[in-house]
């Protein structure tokens, strides 16, 4: 049966405290990449919106150019009709040519109205793009600052983890190797905290009541005791107050 002193218990608790601190920092570090991905996605959203708006502009420009082509074709037609007008012999032919010219003019005027609308739409979209680019550069600047802070913090975190590792090794070197082995075996077995206090006959590792005899021995003897439920190393802690 392994004997244990109050000092040795304190060392084990200290080792466990270091492990807990390390876990906290490591989980913070692992969240960093999630945060950085979130930043990238925010910027990507802006970029996509700008791309979409540019596609809208391209579509209107395309329509505008088609309008130009149609106008050109119709103007040529109108000129031809105008020429024909000089050569007509009957009033009927004359009226028919005039009608043709009027129809072409009406179509062209409609096309011109549409083209004006396209220009207005292009202008609106260009304004939107300007606004979005402005928001993008503000967001990019802000996110870069946050990114720098987070990266710096995670570097500090990594340094802190390596300091804690060293501290753990230094402390663990000073204790009885048999006790350390036991501690490590229990830690492996419970996949986490190897040592727990017992308060008011309850193991704080698993929240189960320990038998009265074990509880009595825990308070009176200097033997290494284990929780009969979770197998953690247990030690007695007098409840203050
Ligand atoms: Zn327990």
């Amino acid at each position: 049966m392994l004997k244990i002193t109050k000092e040795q218990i304190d060392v084990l608790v200290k080792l466990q405290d270091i492990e807990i601190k390390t876990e906290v920092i490591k989980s913070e570090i692992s969240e960093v990449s999630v945060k950085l991905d979130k930043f990238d996605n925010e910027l990507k959203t802006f970029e996509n919106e700008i791309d979409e708006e540019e596609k809208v502009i391209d579509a209107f420009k395309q329509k505008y150019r088609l309008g130009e082509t149609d106008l050109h074709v119709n103007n040529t037609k109108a000129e031809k009709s105008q020429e024909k007008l000089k050569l007509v012999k009957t009033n009927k032919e004359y009226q028919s040519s005039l009608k043709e010219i009027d129809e072409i003019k009406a179509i062209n005027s409609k096309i011109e109205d549409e083209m004006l609308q396209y220009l207005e739409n292009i202008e609106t979209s260009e304004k939107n793009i300007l606004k979005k680019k402005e928001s993008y550069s503000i967001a990019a600047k802000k996110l870069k600052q946050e990114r720098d802070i987070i990266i710096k913090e995670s570097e500090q975190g990594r340094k802190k983890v390596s300091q804690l590792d060293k501290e753990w090794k230094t402390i663990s070197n000073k204790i009885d190797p048999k006790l350390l082995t036991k501690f490590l075996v229990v830690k492996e077995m419970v996949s986490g905290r190897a040592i727990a206090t017992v308060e008011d006959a309850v193991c704080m590792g698993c929240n189960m009541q320990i038998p009265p005899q074990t509880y009595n021995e825990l308070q009176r003897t200097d033997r290494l005791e284990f929780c009969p439920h979770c197998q953690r190393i247990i030690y007695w802690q007098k409840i203050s107050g």
Side-chain angles (χ1 to χ4, degrees):
M1 199 55 89
L2 210 54
K3 291 207 166 210
I4 194 157
T5 63
K6 171 83 177 73
E7 286 69 31
Q8 283 172 314
I9 286 287
D10 286 346
V11 170
L12 294 184
V13 171
K14 179 102 179 93
L15 287 180
Q16 183 156 287
D17 283 346
I18 292 172
E19 289 165 6
I20 293 168
K21 272 188 205 160
T22 305
E23 273 168 37
V24 170
I25 298 171
K26 278 185 176 167
S27 99
E28 281 168 1
I29 292 173
S30 75
E31 278 166 26
V32 164
S33 71
V34 175
K35 278 187 194 163
L36 293 181
D37 283 351
K38 200 176 146 263
F39 290 168
D40 286 343
N41 283 337
E42 276 180 47
L43 290 183
K44 197 83 204 149
T45 304
F46 274 115
E47 282 166 19
N48 288 342
E49 283 174 3
I50 291 170
D51 281 353
E52 283 307 310
E53 202 74 49
E54 271 164 358
K55 274 184 202 151
V56 169
I57 290 181
D58 283 347
F60 281 126
K61 281 185 176 166
Q62 174 83 0
K63 281 183 173 177
Y64 186 86
R65 279 194 295 272
L66 285 176
E68 275 180 330
T69 310
D70 286 349
L71 275 187
H72 183 74
V73 170
N74 287 342
N75 282 336
T76 311
K77 265 194 219 163
E79 277 163 26
K80 273 183 189 161
S81 300
Q82 204 76 41
E83 287 300 311
K84 249 169 49 186
L85 210 54
K86 292 175 194 163
L87 304 169
V88 294
K89 293 180 179 77
T90 66
N91 189 42
K92 201 184 164 197
E93 278 176 339
Y94 183 78
Q95 291 303 332
S96 151
S97 287
L98 269 190
K99 200 179 162 222
E100 214 177 277
I101 293 169
D102 281 347
E103 273 169 8
I104 292 171
K105 278 183 182 166
I107 291 170
N108 272 358
S109 141
K110 197 172 163 257
I111 293 173
E112 278 165 354
D113 285 348
E114 282 169 357
M115 284 168 75
L116 273 179
Q117 190 58 52
Y118 298 150
L119 286 182
E120 272 177 35
N121 292 346
I122 289 170
E123 203 179 318
T124 307
S125 287
E126 276 171 349
K127 276 184 192 158
N128 285 344
I129 288 184
L130 272 184
K131 265 190 224 156
K132 276 182 188 143
K133 281 187 175 166
E134 220 173 283
S135 309
Y136 176 89
S137 73
I138 291 169
K141 203 175 160 191
K142 194 178 140 244
L143 293 183
K144 193 196 171 301
Q145 283 170 348
E146 285 179 35
R147 172 187 283 271
D148 290 348
I149 292 170
I150 288 176
I151 289 174
K152 205 174 166 189
E153 276 174 0
S154 75
E155 276 166 13
Q156 282 166 350
R158 264 184 276 270
K159 272 184 203 156
K160 185 81 193 157
V161 165
S162 91
Q163 274 171 15
L164 288 169
D165 278 349
K166 270 184 211 153
E167 208 181 320
W168 192 97
K169 281 182 191 124
T170 312
I171 295 170
S172 64
N173 275 336
K174 287 178 191 160
I175 59 171
D176 176 1
K178 266 192 218 159
L179 183 61
L180 182 65
T181 305
K182 195 77 211 167
F183 177 79
L184 293 175
V185 166
V186 175
K187 198 176 111 176
E188 184 74 28
M189 194 173 63
V190 298
S191 350
R193 322 248 154 116
I195 184 162
T197 60
V198 170
E199 289 173 16
D200 222 2
V202 173
C203 164
M204 290 294 121
C206 64
N207 286 316
M208 302 265 283
Q209 191 96 25
I210 60 164
Q213 205 197 334
T214 313
Y215 188 48
N216 283 335
E217 279 166 6
L218 194 64
Q219 293 174 67
R220 287 188 287 111
T221 65
D222 55 0
R223 274 202 331 240
L224 188 64
E225 298 278 354
F226 300 90
C227 170
H229 310 291
C230 68
Q231 315 306 325
R232 286 182 173 88
I233 299 167
I234 44 175
Y235 65 103
W236 179 61
Q237 184 142 34
K238 201 176 159 187
I239 300 169
S240 54

